[in-house]
Amino acid sequence: MSLRTFPDRVRHAVLFEAFGLAIFVPVSAIVFNQPMGHMGVVGVVSATIATLWNFVYNLGFDHAMLRFFGHTRKSLKARVVHVLLFEGGLLAMLIPPIAWYLGITVWQALMMDMAIVGFYLVYTFVYNVAYDRVFPVPQAMRAQPA
C-alpha cells in the first residue's frame, strides 16, 4: 500500500481543478452556446460549491452512519445511497442558480448538469491515470511488504 504526502494531495486537487476548468470553460461555452465568461463563472462557482459540499456532506454522512449503525464502514448499498444523496444535494444547490444566471429553464440547467457530470466522470478517470504516471509515489514512500 502506498500513501501520498499532504503537499502531493494539494497539488493533485489544485491541478485537477485547474485542468478541469481549462477544458470545461471553452468546451462548455461552445457546446451550450453560452459566453465563455458565463461558463467560467458557472465552472468556478460550481467547483467551489462542490468542494464545500463534499466536505460537509461526507462529514455529515459519516456522523449519521456512526449514530445509526455504530460504524462508518460503507457496504456497496451504503456507497450507492451515499453517491445518490451527494449528487442529489449538489443538483438541488446548483440547478436553480445556474438556470437563473444563464437565463435558461430549470430543465435546460438539469440537462446541462447531466452533461457536465458525464464530462467530469471521464475527466476524473483520465486525470487520475495521468497524474499517477506523471507523479508516481516514490519507492521510499511505499509501505514495505510484511
Side-chain angles (χ1 to χ4, degrees), residues 121-139:
L121 284 172
V122 173
Y123 168 70
T124 299
F125 178 81
V126 172
Y127 174 83
N128 282 303
V129 169
Y131 188 88
D132 288 345
R133 289 189 180 154
V134 174
F135 300 106
V137 177
Q139 287 290 344

Side-chain angles (χ1 to χ4, degrees), residues 137-144:
V137 177
Q139 287 290 344
M141 292 297 295
R142 295 186 179 150
Q144 299 301 317

Side-chain angles (χ1 to χ4, degrees), residues 22-38:
I23 297 166
F24 168 79
V25 172
V27 170
S28 65
I30 293 166
V31 169
F32 301 126
N33 195 30
Q34 293 286 334
M36 195 156 12
H38 285 15

Side-chain angles (χ1 to χ4, degrees), residues 99-119:
W100 169 79
Y101 181 72
L102 295 178
I104 59 178
T105 68
V106 170
W107 178 255
Q108 289 170 314
L110 176 62
M111 294 297 102
M112 179 184 284
D113 190 68
M114 298 309 281
I116 293 167
V117 167
F119 161 75

Side-chain angles (χ1 to χ4, degrees), residues 1 13 20 37 50-51 65 69 71 87 90 94 113 118 124 137 144 146:
M1 177 185 246
T51 300
M65 282 196 68
F69 303 111
H71 61 81
E87 289 299 334
L90 191 56
L94 293 178
D113 190 68
T124 299
V137 177
Q144 299 301 317

